[in-house]
Amino acid sequence: MNILFAASELSPYAKSGGLGDVIGALPSVLKARGHSVSAVIPLYRGLRERIPGIRATDLFLQIPMGKTVKEGRVWEAEAPGGVRLFLIEQEEYFNRANFYGENNADYEDNSARFFFFSKAVVEAARYLEPAPEILHVHDWQTGLVPAFVQARGLPFKTVFTIHNLAYQGSFWGLDFPLTNLPDDAFTAQGVEFYGYVNCMKAGIVMADQVTTVSPRYAQEIQTEIYGCWLDRVLQEQSHKLTGILNGVDYGQWDPKTDIHLPANYGPASLGGKAACRKAVLEAFRLRDDGAPIFGCVTRLAHQKGIHLIQEVIEGLLWQDIRFLLLGSGDPAAEHWFSSLALRHPGKVGVWIGFSEELSHRVTAGSDFFLMPSLYEPCGLTQMYSLRYGTLPIVHETGGLADSVRDYRPPAPKPEAKKGGKASKAKSKAKTKAEIAEAAQVAKGGPDGTGFRFMPCTGQPFWDACQRARSLYADKVELNRVRKLAMKEDFSWDESAKQYEVVYRRALAS
Ligand code: ADP
Ligand code: GLC
């Protein structure tokens, strides 16, 4: 099949979160499976200098934006795995400090910026050779692509992936003329939602197939609690909605080969993990007296349940743990965690900012990984930490529920008894214990790989952290569980197969 990916991020060139990781990995996996795959992103500031071998093409696009026309130039480079990468240059829209906004506020012209990008994707796709059959577009930034394809009667099939339903690209109706879509597109069947242009809703309604990034989240978003007002729309479109769990790029995220670590390790040789622990504590200038390290690498956003960490962390510190945080986002949270570090010298390490290298080091050096997200479409960091033997503590939701099994200690073995009657009693007791154990495994058990809790409130989260501390006290059992976690396999190949099924459905529609 011939597929063109379009998105606003692609790792390692443009990444603010998991979307970048996905677009940096999935295209190359599909390519390796024999498809012809290319990708297109905006040409952000600095990419001309950073992307090796990038070159301008002679393809200039004239894009109508309301009553004016803006020009875009197509650049070309190679994405990871030899995927052909196109970049749309538009100085006014994309030569900016960030992708989406500055000083904790979105750029005011984000509607124009990403309407332009989406139109440019469709226009560029017309000239590509071989011509794409499928445009696979991601999140609200490219949500209007299916509408543009339909309005122009172009022969592409469209697949729209929801990475995060909460960010919808909803702009006031007065922006509609900037789309240059016919008036009848501004209806409930099209891009309109309660008087606004809603790019997320447009993608859901108008794409041939819709996917989201875990099976559990595909169910959740059809409910009022998780639906972000779009639950009814998603219910109506459920016949074309599929949940496919993201994969992990083990070329980047495997402690056996990770270039960012001071020492490598794997399930057969855990020694390097101790070296990573030592190094990360040194980097944060923390004491090492053997206390468990709770780590966290995250956007500081409401979604991530930051307030729950704030609720339990002081108590945990009283119990003598170490806490490492790498994150950025909400200024109030940045401030709160920075002062936490000042209040607990030697015990808390906080690094406000974005650092790829440090994210690998914190993941490897910690014992447990905190992820109390209120909702989590998929989440990649819990899957990374599993591979690094850093057991995740997660709210039982979305992709967290689909990727982490709950650990419970093995049930104690019944005491052996001697004699005829007694041996009957023994076999009965054993059967009971087995039944109890089997029931535990369904809910949680010794084959667990992390700690799950629900509901998403302070007490259950605290309890899960306590269960983690208890496991930490038993080093033999801890290492057994670590090894189990490290052997979990979330490689992209399985997910890629499921995307192929969705592509075939789109082509057949
Ligand atoms: P989301 O996309 O919702 O932020 P994911 O778990 O899917 O959550 O992906 C987050 C990605 O961003 C991971 O690759 C994670 O390591 C990375 N990341 C998040 N915050 C930082 C940070 N401050 N520095 C470096 N990487 C970060
Ligand atoms: C979004 C979601 C995250 C997911 C990522 C990649 O950022 O918040 O859960 O892993 O997209 O799909």
Side-chain angles (χ1 to χ4, degrees), residues 165 212-227 231 234-235 238 241-244 377 397-399 402:
L165 193 68
T212 189
V213 288
S214 70
R216 171 77 83 113
Y217 192 59
Q219 295 304 318
E220 287 176 345
I221 54 180
Q222 296 181 53
T223 66
E224 213 178 312
I225 300 174
Y226 290 99
D231 41 304
L234 284 154
Q235 284 167 24
S238 61
L241 173 66
T242 314
I244 303 176
T397 185
D402 284 340

Side-chain angles (χ1 to χ4, degrees), residues 70-115:
K70 300 267 181 195
E71 189 172 85
R73 184 175 199 179
V74 180
W75 288 62
E76 191 176 348
E78 216 171 77
V83 168
R84 239 175 132 189
L85 174 63
F86 299 100
L87 303 103
I88 309 288
E89 177 186 17
Q90 218 298 326
E91 283 284 307
E92 184 190 334
Y93 289 150
F94 299 121
N95 187 3
R96 307 224 178 146
N98 291 321
F99 308 144
Y100 312 123
E102 279 168 55
N103 304 322
N104 215 33
D106 288 343
Y107 290 125
E108 280 180 5
D109 59 348
N110 269 351
S111 50
R113 297 173 75 227
F114 289 102
F115 293 180

Side-chain angles (χ1 to χ4, degrees), residues 12 18 42 65 81 92 139 174 251 293 349 368 504:
M65 292 293 292
E92 184 190 334
D139 266 356
L174 292 178
I293 306 177
F368 303 107
R504 279 198 287 274

